[in-house]
């Protein structure tokens, strides 16, 4: 198990190096653009050359990359060229914000979807129609629309929740809760659609399997058959969807973050890419790779727990 | 932003083989029809936008700025630059359609080809494709697209090309997994034996076989591409001279307090477009996974669906000593079919006495298994008992509630299935499954249940009970799994055991052992057994009496020896004649030679 | 198919969603009186300014700071030698008591005010000022690019700084009120923290605990500040908000009490009870630059003055200002600041909207069928693209907008790849900077360094005339020449709109760069 | 009589390195032209692997497979294509062995066209083949799922017959079929052999089936051939204990004889156990 995790992490490290290197290569064409943005509106080509040199962006790309990698290995991701703040802690602080909305949203979405999906699969009729309608609404109504309606109703008009901004949990737990509620609701609605459909589908399939009938012939109560046996077996495909949903929520949070003016990872990554803030882009890329690797690993380990056949030795 | 832009649908439920009824299935699915019609209308609107748009989508008139909805000439009003919203909306459908086509075809081209190659060839090829797609998957998509802007010049078509590459890992994984499955299909081996080249096999056999899920995936890819294109345009990544939902939503969003409808139109259009694609994809998936009969409320108990309840049902509910263990009278079971209900069991009558072993024999499709399921009350949800009665020690089962049936199952009547592997829950250890059963029916402590289970495992002659106790079903052999199921079935000393082809999936030597075990247990507990089988050898080995079924009817019953010696019905005779060991070899010492079924 | 439940559900969903959006929005744009009742929900105590600004480069390194909205932050932490009075636009001494030029304009002597202290309690010395200037001059960055005339600075005593110039730079004094005039502590200049947590002598200190770089900046007023009454707010919370709609939402929800709004948002902001929407004096100019007046590229059309004039005639400046920008803009065809001396109201009538004349000029220049030209597209140009395409297209000049990344807007001009460019620039009220646009020193405005004998002659006169009154006439002459020759095609000057809640005032009548002094407490 | 197919000391391993497991430990046998060799064994005995090695679907680790005197152990793709004319296969599962997406006509003509037969000739040949296996000629346009298991197996046989091979590897061809169908399909196999003189390598777990169709039989146990001989000898006078156990384990459809066999089997088992205990 440990060996497996280590091997996967090693693959993650190799991927991280490859991805960051390719990103650096792609970025290398834009170093002068970055410097010109940095220097403000009325620059001359000579200014740009001077500053590019001062920052070391005129060295061979490979040298620069190895330099970056050397620092990154020691945990030093450099400082942002635009805010002059250290990249590593800044990236982390933005991840905290996005996690604060994505994680609760996913948790709630999973709980609701699984409940709904199981309910729909084991009792057709009204529950099934409710589950399918929720999927439909989630698919058809863009999150942006939900977001703006919620803001206008609950923040601007009723003033129950703040319209924008993020409060650190340690500063004020209540403030934190109020600041994440609306974005979480938006993401829950968006995330529930596919998870509910998936859980419903795999539960229906699972409940039609032979072992379910055999469990019934053993006189076991329906609750145990559905919730203990079928749900666990349906969990494996659902887990894949959940992990993909997590990555997707995380990476698409930029729009929601913009609407709620949350200083999250998505909008941070987006603005750094727009400015071509090279140290930040590299940090963001690295963190994304790590995140994807870790989430996939967690999903696979969890899958191994749920599904003994998938367990690796 | 990383991995794919939109989560890939799970492919686990997609069956590999597209069936002919896909088209018919789609036509009958209201969701498929509705979404398909909407999609066709939207595609057409996009296609014909140059013809039907009242204005050039970029024509800006200073006099049309923020015109309200319903202004003549500007049906949906003008936007903040004085462009006609309706025209821009129509052109946006075109942009969305083109985006969907480019994004999906690039993802498909790359994902399908790599998936075919990666899945079909050996592990060396596969591990390199794996690496490649892991790499693509790990790329933070949004950043990549922005960084590549100098190359794509913001043209949404180039952007969609890149996006297609970024989306390809999802398709790759689906295709690869399918190909890994298809590769094991014997017709691929047959093609190889015929000398077909790899390319031909891939193109003709493998690709053809996996096309269903690919088509389904296409719908999702298109939805993802449109959503991604809109998202990028909304964020301002890319050119602004091509109208798109994202751009319209962006300007509408910034103008939301001045004229909210400018925001609502593109939002709803986009939602309907992508939503329909996803929903249509879901319908396609349902269609490809075969004609799933409309789900009905799962059968709760064993309910009779005809109004005419036979008198016997009403009267014979009192338990009497002289009642047989099991008495089936005129039992009818039907399934809903495409042309109305189809009766698969047509008035079967059968009795099993206390401690008696009865063989229910017939070929596939004769209705023997459904008869057995009816006794257990575990018929498929859509199955209906149309007539007759099933009495267990005099107690009428037809009409009994699920909870009443549940109290009988495992205690009075028990079941051994045909396929040992698929009848054990793959996710729990053998021990925990058996313990749960024992605890539930015997109401004992965990520790006591554990001991009971270990004793049972020893009783069914499992060599190392503690090891099997700890094992998961896939870690033990088929014969062992069947012993486990038998242990579970006899755990509570049921008075009737329903064994549905209990040895068919096993090797002959194992079969002989299992039959010995069943015989010993039957004697020890004095159980009655209803043995469903197609194997006359098995019947000869263990059954006291035999009932032969054909086409949902019992054609002959009798004491085993008599039926074998002098079959009365022609069908029985035919079956016995087909047995290959007739005409024993010369010098036949029957006990040492001759083998047969 | 109308019986299909799926279809019905769509319709219901669509209608419901449309209503859900339309109703509350309609209600508030109609001025829902109940929305004002939220004044108690957030601290509207007027000792706190809650400001929302869009993102921009946010370094606090005194050599790298830029004249963007980030000035609300660094301009509060650092003191400058001078400031621009928000009411008059005049460059007014702040940390400096006075300054005097030598007759040749190559030496500037600045005398510091008494009682200046850094936030760590130490006194401000002239050597701190000199060190800051010297560092900026020697550090590649924005300030270096505007400090080109400066040779060095030295402190002759505790209170006196002498700045030596390579040549006379008429605009430099006005820069004292901008980033070039800030004072940092000499010993702090080499600190690694200077970009995030500097020591300044300004009225506010950065509350580093509450501050999240790039996201939220909290400024606390210094109790010991010498000019405390000029800065009424005890605390200033500045949040960086990407999205204009989110900014407005925050304002409507009472989370911020001052924010810039767009023309489309003005009505909605005004609807908030007690809120004021103030229109600034024109602050941003949009103008079409002709980047190939020498005609060296594959598209030499703009070499011909008639083509440049045709572009000017094709623009419906009145329409753009009134309709596209909903009146929050001033049409103009010159680049000098309207309320100041060089601006010539007679010139405004030169290029009255006349597409027919534009066509004629194009035909005369040899382009009867017009031509197609590529033009960079960025976030800043979005709003104008459809209208410009329409109006120039109408006379035969077809625009092909090529999207370029935000980060490349400056550098793309320097490449010489484009011949036409819609420039967005903050209006500078000093005439020298505006005049520079038409000289080889024009930077990104004149990357080809275009000049002709008239321009060269006028520029020489400007740089040698230290007497302001005399130079004014030369500026006017240059302005007239630029308009006649259609060296550029100014489109419009837009005003900013600021929404402030009850109790907070906003002043801007001088086309200022961002300055915290613009905000005040009502009644004070 | 020279052997048509000769398998000599065949060893097959699955997996590589430490995890490699050997599933055939040096198996040798021969098949003469027009002969049927039955290969009997239980699951895991390696009988299917032998067939797949002969067909070139599995690589041999060592040993040799030769056809008509030619070593084909490691024949390349081109050589295999040529061999396809001589060696054909009928698999166990008639559901998986026919591509469900293809029409019967295409399934049957594909190998012919691969052999260079023109489309027109192939079509004609398909009709003859269908006739030979007792299927209507209008079956060409239909798809496998429209046929029953027995009919599908006839299609699979027709496909194997198409290039007029000299050897057909039959891997459990009747074990998925109902009793009555099984008998009819076996008759078809026999009839085809009589008519065409094809040799069969007939793999089955069912002694009765092997006995019914084979001339000679090999009994396979855990990767080794434990017994070879004329089929009647093997079944009437088994020499190896495993063969005996296998024969006795199969129940006969006669209650009295079956009771006797059961007793005999138990006696044998007890005997084995006691000898094991002694040893």
């Amino acid at each position: 198990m440990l060996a497996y995790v280590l091997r996967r992490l090693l693959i993650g490290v190799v991927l991280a190096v490859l991805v960051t290197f390719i990103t650096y290569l792609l970025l290398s064409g834009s170093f002068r653009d970055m410097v010109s943005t940095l220097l403000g509106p009325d620059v001359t080509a000579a200014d740009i050359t001077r500053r590019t040199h001062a920052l070391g962006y005129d060295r061979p790309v490979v040298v620069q990359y190895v330099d970056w990698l050397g620092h990154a290995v020691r945990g030093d991701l450099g400082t942002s060229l635009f805010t002059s703040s250290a990249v590593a802690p800044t990236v982390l602080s933005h991840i905290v914000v996005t996690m604060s909305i994505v994680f609760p949203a996913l948790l709630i979405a999973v709980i609701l979807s699984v409940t709904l999906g199981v309910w729909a699969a084991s009792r057709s009729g009204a529950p099934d129609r409710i589950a399918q309608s929720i999927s439909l609404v989630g698919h058809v109504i863009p999150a942006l629309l939900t977001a703006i309606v919620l803001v206008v109703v609950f923040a601007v008009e009723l003033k129950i929740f703040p319209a924008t901004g993020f409060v650190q949990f340690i500063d004020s737990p209540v403030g934190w809760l109020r600041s994440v509620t609306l974005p979480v609701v938006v993401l829950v609605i968006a995330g529930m659609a596919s998870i509910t459909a998936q859980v419903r589908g795999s539960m229906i399939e699972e409940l039609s399997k032979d072992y379910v009938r055999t469990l019934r012939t053993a006189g076991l109560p329906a609750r145990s058959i559905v919730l203990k046996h079928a749900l666990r077996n349906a969990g494996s495909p659902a887990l894949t969807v959940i992990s993909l949903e997590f990555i997707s929520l995380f990476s698409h949070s930029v729009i929601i973050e913009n609407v709620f003016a949350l200083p999250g990872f998505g909008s941070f990554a987006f603005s750094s890419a727009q400015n071509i803030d090279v140290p930040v882009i590299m940090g963001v890329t690295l963190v994304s790779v790590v995140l994807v690797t870790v989430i996939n690993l967690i999903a696979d380990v969890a899958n191994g727990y749920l599904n003994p056949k998938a367990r690796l030795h | 932003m990383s991995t794919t832009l939109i989560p890939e649908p799970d492919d686990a439920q997609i069956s590999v083989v597209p069936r002919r009824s896909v088209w018919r299935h789609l036509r009958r699915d209201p969701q498929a029809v509705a979404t398909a019609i909407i999609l066709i209308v939207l595609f057409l609107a996009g296609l014909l936008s140059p013809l039907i748009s009242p204005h050039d989508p970029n024509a800006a008139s200073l006099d049309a700025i923020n015109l309200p909805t319903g202004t003549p000439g500007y049906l949906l009003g003008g936007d903040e630059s004085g462009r006609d919203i309706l025209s821009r909306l129509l052109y946006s459908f075109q942009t969305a359609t083109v985006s969907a086509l480019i994004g999906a075809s690039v993802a498909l081209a790359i994902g399908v080809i790599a998936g075919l190659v990666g899945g079909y060839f050996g592990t060396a090829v596969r591990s390199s494709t794996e690496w490649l797609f892991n790499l693509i998957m790990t790329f933070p998509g949004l950043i990549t697209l922005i960084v590549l802007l100098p190359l794509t010049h913001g043209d949404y078509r180039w952007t969609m090309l890149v996006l297609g590459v970024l989306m390809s890992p999802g398709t790759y994984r689906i295709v690869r997994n399918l190909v890994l499955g298809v590769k094991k299909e014997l017709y691929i081996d047959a093609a190889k034996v015929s000398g077909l080249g790899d390319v031909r096999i891939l193109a003709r056999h493998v690709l053809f076989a996996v096309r269903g899920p690919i088509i389904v995936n296409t719908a999702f890819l298109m939805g993802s591409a449109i959503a991604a294109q809109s998202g990028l345009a909304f964020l301002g990544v890319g050119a602004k001279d091509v109208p798109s939902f994202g751009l319209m939503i962006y300007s509408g969003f910034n103008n939301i307090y001045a004229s909210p409808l400018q925001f609502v139109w593109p939002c709803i259009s986009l939602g309907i477009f992508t939503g329909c694609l996803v929903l249509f994809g879901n319908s396609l998936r349902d269609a490809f996974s075969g004609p799933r009969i409309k789900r009905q409320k799962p059968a709760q108990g064993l309910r009779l669906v005809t109004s005419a309840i036979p008198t016997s049902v009403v009267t014979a509910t009192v338990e009497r000593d002289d009642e047989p263990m099991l008495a089936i009278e005129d039992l009818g079971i039907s399934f809903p079919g495409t042309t109305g209900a189809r009766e698969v069991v047509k008035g079967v009558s059968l009795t099993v006495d206390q401690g008696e072993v009865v063989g229910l024999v017939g070929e596939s499709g004769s209705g023997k298994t459904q008869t057995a399921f009816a006794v257990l009350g575990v018929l498929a949800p859509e199955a209906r008992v149309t007539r007759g009665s099933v009495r267990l020690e005099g107690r009428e089962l037809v009409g009994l509630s699920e909870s009443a049936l549940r109290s009988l199952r495992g205690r009075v009547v028990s079941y051994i299935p045909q396929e040992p592997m698929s009848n054990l829950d793959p996710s729990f250890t053998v021990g925990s499954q058996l313990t749960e059963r024992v605890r539930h029916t015997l109401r004992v402590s965990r520790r006591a249940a554990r001991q009971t289970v270990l004793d049972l495992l020893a009783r069914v002659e499992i060599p190392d009970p503690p090891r099997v106790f700890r094992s998961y079903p896939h870690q033990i052999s088929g014969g062992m799994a069947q012993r486990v199921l038998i242990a579970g079935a006899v755990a509570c000393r049921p008075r009737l055991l329903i064994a549905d082809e209990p040895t068919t999936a096993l090797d002959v030597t194992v079969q002989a052992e299992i039959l010995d075990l069943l015989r010993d247990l039957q004697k020890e507990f004095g159980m009655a057994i209803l043995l469903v089988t197609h194997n006359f050898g098995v019947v000869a080995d263990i059954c006291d009496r035999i009932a032969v079924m054909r086409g949902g009817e019992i054609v002959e019953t009798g004491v085993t020896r008599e039926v074998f010696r002098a079959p009365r019905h022609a069908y029985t005779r035919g079956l016995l004649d087909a047995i290959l060991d007739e005409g024993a070899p010369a010098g036949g010492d029957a006990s040492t030679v001759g083998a047969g079924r | 198919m109308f019986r299909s439940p799926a279809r019905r559900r769509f319709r219901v969903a669509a209608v419901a969603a449309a209503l859900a959006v339309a109703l509350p929005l309609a209600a508030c744009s109609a001025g829902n009186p109940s929305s004002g009742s939220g004044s108690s929900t957030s601290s509207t105590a007027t000792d706190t300014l809650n400001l929302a600004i869009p993102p921009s480069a946010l370094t606090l390194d005194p050599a790298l700071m830029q004249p963007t909205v980030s000035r609300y932050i660094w301009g509060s932490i650092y003191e400058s030698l001078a400031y621009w009075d928000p009411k008059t636009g005049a460059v007014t001494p702040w940390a400096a008591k006075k300054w005097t030029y030598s007759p040749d304009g190559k030496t500037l002597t600045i005398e510091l005010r008494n009682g200046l202290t850094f936030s760590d309690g130490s006194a401000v010395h002239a050597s701190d000022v000199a060190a800051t200037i010297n560092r900026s001059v020697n550090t590649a960055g924005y300030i270096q690019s505007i400090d080109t005339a400066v040779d060095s600075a030295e402190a002759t005593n505790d209170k006196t700084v002498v700045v030596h110039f390579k040549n006379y730079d008429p605009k430099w004094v006005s820069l004292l009120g901008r980033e070039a005039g800030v004072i940092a502590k000499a010993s702090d200049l080499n600190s690694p923290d200077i970009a995030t947590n500097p020591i300044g002598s300004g009225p506010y200190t950065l509350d580093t605990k509450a501050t999240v770089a790039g996201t939220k900046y909290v400024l606390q007023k210094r109790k010991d500040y010498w000019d405390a009454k000029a800065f009424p707010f005890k605390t200033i919370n500045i949040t960086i908000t990407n999205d204009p709609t989110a900014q407005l939402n925050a304002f409507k929800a009472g989370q911020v009490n001052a924010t810039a709004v767009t023309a489309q948002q003005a009505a909605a902001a005004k609807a908030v009870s007690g809120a004021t929407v103030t229109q600034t004096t024109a602050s941003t100019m949009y103008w079409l630059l002709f980047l190939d007046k020498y005609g060296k590229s594959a598209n030499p059309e703009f070499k011909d003055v008639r083509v440049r004039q045709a572009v000017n005639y094709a623009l419906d400046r009145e329409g753009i200002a009134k309709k596209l920008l909903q009146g929050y803009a001033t049409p103009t065809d010159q680049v000098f600041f309207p309320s100041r001396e060089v601006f010539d109201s007679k010139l405004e009538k030169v290029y009255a909207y006349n597409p027919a004349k534009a066509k004629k000029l194009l035909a005369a220049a040899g382009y009867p069928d017009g031509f197609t030209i590529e033009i960079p597209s960025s976030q800043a140009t979005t709003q104008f693209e459809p209208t410009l395409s329409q109006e120039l297209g109408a006379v035969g000049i077809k625009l092909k907008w090529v999207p370029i990344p935000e980060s490349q807007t400056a550098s793309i001009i320097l490449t010489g790849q484009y011949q036409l460019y819609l420039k967005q620039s903050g209006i500078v009220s000093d005439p020298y900077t505006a005049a520079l646009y038409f000289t080889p020193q024009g930077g990104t405005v004149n990357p080809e360094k275009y000049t002709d004998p008239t321009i060269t002659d006028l520029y020489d006169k400007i740089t040698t005339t230290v007497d302001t009154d005399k130079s004014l006439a030369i500026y006017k002459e240059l302005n007239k020449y630029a308009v006649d020759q259609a060296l550029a095609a100014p489109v419009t000057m837009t005003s900013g709109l600021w929404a402030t809640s009850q109790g907070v005032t906003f002043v801007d009548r001088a086309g200022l760069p961002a300055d915290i002094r613009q905000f005040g407490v009502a009644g004070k | 009589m020279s052997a048509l197919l000769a398998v000599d000391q065949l060893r097959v391993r699955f997996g590589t390195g430490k995890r490699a497991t050997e599933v055939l430990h040096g198996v040798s046998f021969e098949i003469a032209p027009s002969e049927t060799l039955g290969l009997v064994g239980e699951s895991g005995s390696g009988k299917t692997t032998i067939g797949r090695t002969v067909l070139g679907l599995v690589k041999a680790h060592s040993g040799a497979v030769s056809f008509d005197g030619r070593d084909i152990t490691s024949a390349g793709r081109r050589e295999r294509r040529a061999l396809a004319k001589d060696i054909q296969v009928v698999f166990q599962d008639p559901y998986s062995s026919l591509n469900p997406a293809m029409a019967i006509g295409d399934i049957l003509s594909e190998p012919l066209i691969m052999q260079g037969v023109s489309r027109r000739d192939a079509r004609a040949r398909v009709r003859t083949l269908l006739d030979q296996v007792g299927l209507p000629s209008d079956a060409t346009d239909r798809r496998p799922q429209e046929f029953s298991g027995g009919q599908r197996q006839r299609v699979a046989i027709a496909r194997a017959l198409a290039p007029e091979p000299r050897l057909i590897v039959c891997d459990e061809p009747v074990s998925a079929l109902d009793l009555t169908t099984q008998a009819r399909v076996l008759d078809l196999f026999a009839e085809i052999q009589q008519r065409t003189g094809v040799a069969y390598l007939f793999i089955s777990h069912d002694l009765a089936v092997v006995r019914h169709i084979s001339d000679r039989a090999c009994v396979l146990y855990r990767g080794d051939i434990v017994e070879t001989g004329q089929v009647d000898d093997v079944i009437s006078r088994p020499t190896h204990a495993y063969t005996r156990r296998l024969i006795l384990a199969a129940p006969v459809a006669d209650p009295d004889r079956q009771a006797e066999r059961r007793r005999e089997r138990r006696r044998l088992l007890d005997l084995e156990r006691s000898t094991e205990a002694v040893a």
Side-chain angles (χ1 to χ4, degrees), chain C residues 127-389:
Chain C
S127 56
D128 293 314
V129 178
T132 313
I133 292 174
N134 286 332
R135 181 170 176 271
S136 296
V137 167
N138 293 312
T139 306
Y142 172 69
I143 300 178
Q144 190 185 50
S145 73
I146 57 174
D147 265 359
T148 44
V150 179
D151 185 51
S152 67
E154 59 173 329
T156 51
N157 62 38
D158 256 13
K159 294 279 169 244
T160 313
V161 185
V162 178
V163 185
H164 303 284
F165 292 90
K166 295 171 202 156
N167 53 277
Y168 171 58
D169 182 353
K171 72 168 188 301
W172 208 77
V173 165
S174 68
L175 292 182
L176 292 178
R178 286 174 49 180
E179 49 288 327
V182 297
I183 307 170
K185 192 174 156 102
S187 61
D188 193 34
L189 283 172
N190 294 319
S191 153
D193 284 346
I194 186 145
T196 47
N197 185 19
I199 297 170
S201 58
Y204 292 90
T205 54
L206 188 68
D207 183 345
T208 46
K209 269 194 180 160
T211 295
V212 184
T215 300
K216 188 180 185 187
Y217 292 82
V218 178
L219 300 168
Q220 301 293 356
K221 188 169 162 186
R222 281 173 63 189
K223 290 194 183 72
D224 57 341
Y225 189 66
W226 65 272
D227 192 14
K229 64 177 191 320
F231 301 90
F233 298 103
K234 267 190 191 151
T235 307
I236 301 173
N237 294 307
I238 299 176
T239 39
I240 315 296
T241 306
N242 243 323
D243 190 273
T245 307
Q247 273 186 24
L248 180 61
N249 287 338
F251 181 75
K252 286 180 80 91
Q255 285 184 287
V256 300
N257 51 20
T259 184
V261 292
T262 65
Q264 290 122 328
Q265 295 175 333
K270 261 184 211 158
V272 175
S273 151
T276 317
V277 173
T278 313
Q279 185 177 351
T280 69
T281 320
S283 59
T284 307
M285 182 166 62
Y286 289 90
W287 45 323
L288 282 164
L289 302 181
F290 304 113
L291 301 176
D292 185 28
K293 291 186 284 286
Y294 282 130
K296 284 176 181 163
S297 73
N299 293 76
E301 292 88 354
F302 298 117
K303 186 182 184 199
D304 193 317
V305 66
R306 288 168 294 189
V307 176
R308 303 200 296 263
Q309 287 167 338
V311 171
N312 272 289
Y313 281 116
L315 297 172
D316 178 9
R317 297 182 172 89
E318 290 284 336
I320 290 173
K322 281 219 182 82
K323 290 168 181 162
L324 186 64
L325 302 170
Q326 312 201 345
Y328 298 111
T330 317
T332 187
D333 53 14
Q334 48 190 321
V335 301
F336 288 85
F337 193 75
S339 61
R340 304 294 289 266
E341 306 85 346
V342 183
F343 184 82
D344 185 350
S345 55
K346 278 174 282 178
L347 290 178
E348 288 298 291
K349 300 282 177 283
V350 173
Y351 296 115
Y353 179 45
N354 191 345
K357 186 161 186 189
K359 269 189 188 164
K360 246 182 246 164
L361 282 166
L362 277 180
Y367 306 103
D369 302 323
F371 55 91
T372 302
I373 195 91
E374 288 193 339
I375 175 166
S377 156
S378 72
Q379 201 74 35
T381 62
T382 311
Q383 198 180 10
F384 293 93
E385 287 174 20
T387 308
L388 289 182
S389 296

Side-chain angles (χ1 to χ4, degrees), chain C residues 59-68 70 74-75 78 142-143 179 182:
Chain C
T59 181
L60 299 177
D61 184 325
L64 300 171
M65 298 180 310
Q66 292 185 23
T68 62
S70 63
W74 60 256
Y78 293 114
Y142 172 69
I143 300 178
E179 49 288 327
V182 297

Side-chain angles (χ1 to χ4, degrees), chain A residues 17-56:
Chain A
V17 171
L18 281 173
V19 170
T20 48
F21 180 63
I22 295 172
T23 307
Y24 209 89
L25 274 184
L26 293 175
L27 283 172
S28 63
S30 309
F31 286 158
R32 284 182 65 85
D33 301 328
M34 166 190 72
V35 173
S36 83
T37 315
L38 200 58
L39 292 181
D42 298 306
V43 293
T44 63
D47 291 337
I48 294 174
T49 308
R50 264 202 308 280
R51 188 76 186 141
T52 307
H53 181 74
L55 291 169

Side-chain angles (χ1 to χ4, degrees), chain D residues 98-166:
Chain D
L98 303 178
N99 188 340
M102 285 168 75
I104 302 298
D106 294 332
I107 291 176
L108 294 180
S109 60
E110 189 176 44
L112 290 171
I113 290 165
M114 282 308 295
Q115 298 291 340
V117 178
S118 77
R119 273 181 195 282
R120 174 193 292 262
D121 293 351
R123 218 173 298 141
R125 175 99 178 99
V126 165
R127 270 196 296 276
T128 336
L129 286 168
L130 285 174
D131 187 48
Q132 277 178 12
V133 298
L135 287 175
S137 56
D138 69 346
T140 47
D141 297 330
R142 288 153 70 186
R143 276 160 212 280
Q145 59 265 39
E146 296 172 52
F147 294 90
S148 71
Q151 288 170 318
R152 288 185 198 208
Q153 207 57 314
R154 285 170 194 269
V155 175
I157 294 170
R159 175 175 60 188
L161 288 176
E164 298 178 318
R166 290 152 71 195

Side-chain angles (χ1 to χ4, degrees), chain A residues 109-110 112-121 128 131-132 134-136 139 191-207 230-245, chain B residues 7-14 174 216 220 278 282 285-286 292:
Chain A
V110 166
L112 291 179
S113 314
V114 168
T115 314
L116 204 63
V118 168
W119 192 40
D128 205 16
Q132 288 188 316
I134 284 184
S135 285
L136 184 89
H139 282 307
M192 267 182 77
S194 54
I195 307 180
T196 306
Q198 175 61 49
V199 171
R200 174 183 169 271
S202 4
M203 278 302 286
I204 288 175
E205 175 161 325
E206 216 51 52
L207 285 173
L231 183 57
R232 179 160 174 176
N233 284 296
S236 192
L239 202 66
T240 315
V241 169
I242 291 168
S243 71
L244 286 172
E245 195 67 31
Chain B
E8 292 302 328
D10 173 64
D11 54 288
Q13 294 167 50
I14 304 170
I174 292 174
V216 174
F220 291 112
V278 171
N282 282 338
R285 173 156 58 194
D286 285 352
R292 189 181 282 160

Side-chain angles (χ1 to χ4, degrees), chain A residues 182-240:
Chain A
L182 291 183
V184 163
V185 170
V186 174
L187 292 186
V188 165
I189 295 172
M192 267 182 77
S194 54
I195 307 180
T196 306
Q198 175 61 49
V199 171
R200 174 183 169 271
S202 4
M203 278 302 286
I204 288 175
E205 175 161 325
E206 216 51 52
L207 285 173
S208 69
K209 284 196 173 162
D210 284 353
Y211 74 85
V212 168
R213 181 173 52 229
T214 304
L215 289 170
R216 285 180 71 197
T217 67
L220 290 182
R223 200 190 317 124
S224 161
I225 294 173
V226 171
L227 295 183
K228 185 173 169 187
H229 294 277
L231 183 57
R232 179 160 174 176
N233 284 296
S236 192
L239 202 66
T240 315

